[in-house]
């Protein structure tokens, strides 16, 4: 089956978009043996840094990898050529690396990394469009065509393409949302986040991607188990976003911080070592997302390859 494309998006910052992207990438690769491509469209490059470390990110930039080159190809009216921009090895889990060494690869993670350069390239494009008197939405729609064409040859190589987006609607993130098969919305359980998440989610489905209305997977993250947060969680599920599919609620935990803090580029950790007590959440997250996908396409959920 061709890869499914899922954008992870919320206009609100710091709600766990990048962390959820990587938990899902690890979970789908580890428990389901999925081949996952992480596409980082945020110039903050957090998910790239979490997978590759600062040094790895710098090396990737020096080697000419990165999503900003895709935009440069667009600006130069060149057809997209994405294969050389991807780092095919962004696995941090020991079990996946060992299986690969034994030629028994089941589950893998690759990344199209980001860099701060992405924002500069985007601004140049915006300026170009502005001087031509063209609406920004036109830029997003041209970019959507370009990105869709870029991803087309990849859809047979991967099972899932996860797109991490910035906490604002950049032309490129808007383009990515419009070509996604579904979108994932991490949110906090507090009143400001509820309001913002509802507005954003409704706005996306009304203005950018009407086809995504029923394809929204919501994950409450960084949950502090207080009465206030429990009420907010219930409001989200039962009132504001009751027509959406909810994944497991992820608790606030220092393990989420350490899991995303890779000491160096040569370090690998077991799923237990990396996620500790959050391992159950990573498993439930990937399970519920796999079920969500299966329901959406009327196929049975994929088989688990590890417990
Ligand atoms: N479950 C959790 N428990 C504790 N801290 C968490 C949890 N999930 C994420 N965090 C931390 O919260 C901060 C924000 O998370 P993250 O970077 O994933 O959010 P984001 O939505 O991608 O942010 P941005 O909008 O800047 O892209 C990070 O420091 C991250 O390590
Ligand atoms: Mg982020």
């Amino acid at each position: 089956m061709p890869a499914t494309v899922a954008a992870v998006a919320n206009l609100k910052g710091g709600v766990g978009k990048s962390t959820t992207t990587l938990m899902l990438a690890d979970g789908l690769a580890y428990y389901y043996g999925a081949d996952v491509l992480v596409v980082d469209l945020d110039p903050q490059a957090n998910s790239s840094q979490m997978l590759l470390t600062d040094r790895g990110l710098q090396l990737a930039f020096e080697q000419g990898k990165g999503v900003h080159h895709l935009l440069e190809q667009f600006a130069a009216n060149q057809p997209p050529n994405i294969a050389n921009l991807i780092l095919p090895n962004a696995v941090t889990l020991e079990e996946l690396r060992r299986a690969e060494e034994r030629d028994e690869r089941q589950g893998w993670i690759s990344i199209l990394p980001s860099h701060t350069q992405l924002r500069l390239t985007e601004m140049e494009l915006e300026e170009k469009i502005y001087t031509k008197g063209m609406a920004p939405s036109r830029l997003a729609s041209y970019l959507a065509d370009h990105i869709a064409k870029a991803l087309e040859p990849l859809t047979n190589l991967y099972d899932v393409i996860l797109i991490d987006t910035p906490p604002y609607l950049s032309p490129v993130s808007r383009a990515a949302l419009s070509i996604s098969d579904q979108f994932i919305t991490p949110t906090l359980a507090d009143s400001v986040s509820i309001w913002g998440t509802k507005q954003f989610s409704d706005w996306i489905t009304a203005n950018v991607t009407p086809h995504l209305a029923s394809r929204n997977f919501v994950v409450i993250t960084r949950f502090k188990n207080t009465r206030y947060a429990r009420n907010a969680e219930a409001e989200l599920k039962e009132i504001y976003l009751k027509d959406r599919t909810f994944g497991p609620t992820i608790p606030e935990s220092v393990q989420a911080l350490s899991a995303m803090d890779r000491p160096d580029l040569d370090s690998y950790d077991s799923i237990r070592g990396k996620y500790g007590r959050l391992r159950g959440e990573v498993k439930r997250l990937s399970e519920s997302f796999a079920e969500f996908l299966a329901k959406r396409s009327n196929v049975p959920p994929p088989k688990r390859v590890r417990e």
Side-chain angles (χ1 to χ4, degrees), residues 76 82 112 141 149 187 207 246 276 307:
I82 199 171
L112 176 59
S141 108
K149 260 194 218 121
T187 180
N207 295 291
F246 277 78
E307 284 304 320

Side-chain angles (χ1 to χ4, degrees), residues 26-283:
D26 276 344
L28 293 169
Y30 181 88
Y31 291 108
Y32 291 95
D35 267 325
V36 183
L37 174 67
V38 174
V39 174
D40 189 354
L41 292 187
D42 185 353
Q44 294 183 92
N46 290 150
S47 49
S48 307
Q49 194 270 344
M50 289 165 178
L51 282 180
L52 303 172
T53 74
D54 289 344
R55 188 170 74 90
L57 194 53
Q58 190 52 33
L59 283 174
F61 185 70
E62 287 163 14
Q63 288 164 8
K65 312 287 180 192
V67 74
H68 58 284
H69 293 295
L70 197 61
L71 267 62
E72 286 166 5
Q73 293 165 358
F74 172 81
N77 277 326
Q78 290 167 356
N81 183 355
I82 199 171
N84 294 336
L85 310 180
I86 292 174
L87 277 169
N89 181 356
V91 154
T92 67
L93 291 176
E94 183 69 37
E95 294 91 340
L96 301 184
R97 184 182 68 106
R98 275 213 224 113
E100 160 82 359
E101 270 177 7
R102 291 194 302 261
D103 270 340
E104 293 164 3
R105 179 158 144 181
Q106 263 184 327
W108 200 249
I109 299 175
S110 306
I111 185 166
L112 176 59
S114 183
H115 190 273
T116 39
Q117 178 60 41
L118 172 62
R119 187 62 200 130
L120 302 176
T121 311
E122 255 185 336
M123 276 159 62
E124 279 165 23
L125 273 180
E126 284 166 342
E127 271 172 35
K128 221 173 173 179
I129 284 285
Y130 182 75
T131 47
K132 282 189 179 167
M134 215 186 267
S137 58
R138 289 275 294 281
L139 173 58
S141 108
Y142 290 143
L143 275 174
D145 291 344
H146 187 72
I147 296 173
K149 260 194 218 121
L151 294 183
E152 211 178 80
L154 302 182
T155 55
N156 290 324
L157 301 176
Y158 297 97
D159 300 304
V160 184
I161 299 177
L162 292 173
I163 306 181
D164 188 15
T165 65
Y168 53 90
L169 266 180
S170 65
V172 69
S173 64
R174 190 169 167 168
L177 275 162
S178 73
I179 57 135
S180 292
D181 302 311
Q182 47 264 317
F183 74 110
I184 300 170
T185 313
T187 180
L188 307 184
D190 62 49
S191 60
V192 189
S193 304
I194 290 177
W195 190 82
T197 299
K198 162 95 179 123
Q199 294 297 314
F200 177 57
S201 175
D202 287 349
W203 189 84
I204 288 183
T205 46
N207 295 291
V208 185
T209 48
H211 72 283
L212 291 181
S214 61
R215 305 187 187 183
N216 189 193
F217 183 80
V218 181
V219 184
I220 297 171
T221 64
R222 305 181 59 184
F223 186 75
K224 296 190 195 86
N225 195 5
T226 60
R227 194 195 299 170
Y228 174 82
R230 284 194 296 275
N231 285 342
E233 182 189 31
E235 270 182 28
L236 260 171
K237 288 185 173 173
E238 288 155 27
I239 303 171
Y240 290 100
L241 296 174
K242 67 171 188 286
D243 55 341
R244 314 297 160 107
T245 303
F246 277 78
T249 294
I250 313 281
E252 172 92 13
S253 157
V254 284
Q255 194 77 38
L257 302 171
S258 63
M260 298 304 157
D261 194 0
R262 192 180 189 188
D264 67 73
L265 198 46
D266 302 321
S267 62
Y268 298 85
D269 207 346
S270 65
I271 190 133
R272 275 173 204 280
K274 181 168 180 177
Y275 287 105
R277 284 200 199 144
L278 277 185
R279 188 173 78 103
E281 268 76 26
V282 174
K283 187 174 180 184

